[in-house]
Amino acid sequence: MKVKLTKIFRFEASHRLDHLPEGHPCRHMHGHSYQVIVEISGQVNPDTGFLMDYGDMKDIVKPIIDELDHKHLNDVEGLNITSAVYLARWIWEHIKPQMPLLSRITICETGSTSCEYEGE
Ligand SMILES: [Zn+2]
């Protein structure tokens, strides 16, 4: 049986998008209460009835989210452009090696926007 599971993580951070044209509001220092939806997909283990234990997901993802929480994202190593698109890819690249079942990262910067990344 193939299923998808998601777990939601949250963090607060500031950033600036310096490459945008003068006058764009995102050039200014500002912050978001980010929501990160981590999705995995695959075949359920019939012995456990799980695809993956949510606790194991947390053990892998939480330390990565902690690298971003209450930080200025422009200072995070490897995150040269701090748009939601590049943030989704940065999180993917840090989680995927430890979590092969990872199938999607969704970043919500606000209550009305989201960005989905499913790898290259
Ligand atoms: Zn922003």
Side-chain angles (χ1 to χ4, degrees):
M1 178 171 57
K2 190 171 182 187
V3 296
K4 294 180 177 178
L5 300 183
T6 60
K7 186 166 175 60
I8 296 174
F9 298 84
R10 292 186 171 84
F11 68 96
E12 322 290 332
S14 63
H15 75 152
R16 276 193 339 252
L17 297 173
D18 296 322
H19 60 288
L20 294 178
E22 201 69 49
H24 193 291
C26 294
R27 273 183 66 102
H28 300 287
M29 170 93 83
H30 64 284
H32 297 285
S33 295
Y34 287 92
Q35 179 172 274
V36 181
I37 305 170
V38 177
E39 179 196 275
I40 59 173
S41 58
Q43 295 290 333
V44 172
N45 179 338
D47 297 330
T48 61
F50 291 166
L51 174 59
M52 184 177 185
D53 191 309
Y54 286 117
D56 293 339
M57 285 180 77
K58 184 178 177 183
D59 289 345
I60 292 169
V61 176
K62 179 77 166 44
I64 292 160
I65 297 298
D66 286 347
E67 289 185 42
L68 305 171
D69 190 30
H70 285 78
K71 299 285 168 44
H72 182 50
L73 297 181
N74 298 67
D75 295 338
V76 172
E77 191 173 332
L79 194 53
N80 299 328
I81 298 177
T82 59
S83 66
V85 174
Y86 284 91
L87 181 59
R89 187 176 74 175
W90 187 93
I91 292 172
W92 172 283
E93 288 173 347
H94 283 74
I95 294 175
K96 185 69 172 175
Q98 305 172 69
M99 194 187 287
L101 296 175
L102 181 65
S103 52
R104 180 181 297 152
I105 296 289
T106 303
I107 304 283
C108 303
E109 283 184 329
T110 71
S112 61
T113 61
S114 68
C115 164
E116 295 182 353
Y117 182 73
E118 297 180 334
E120 297 296 333

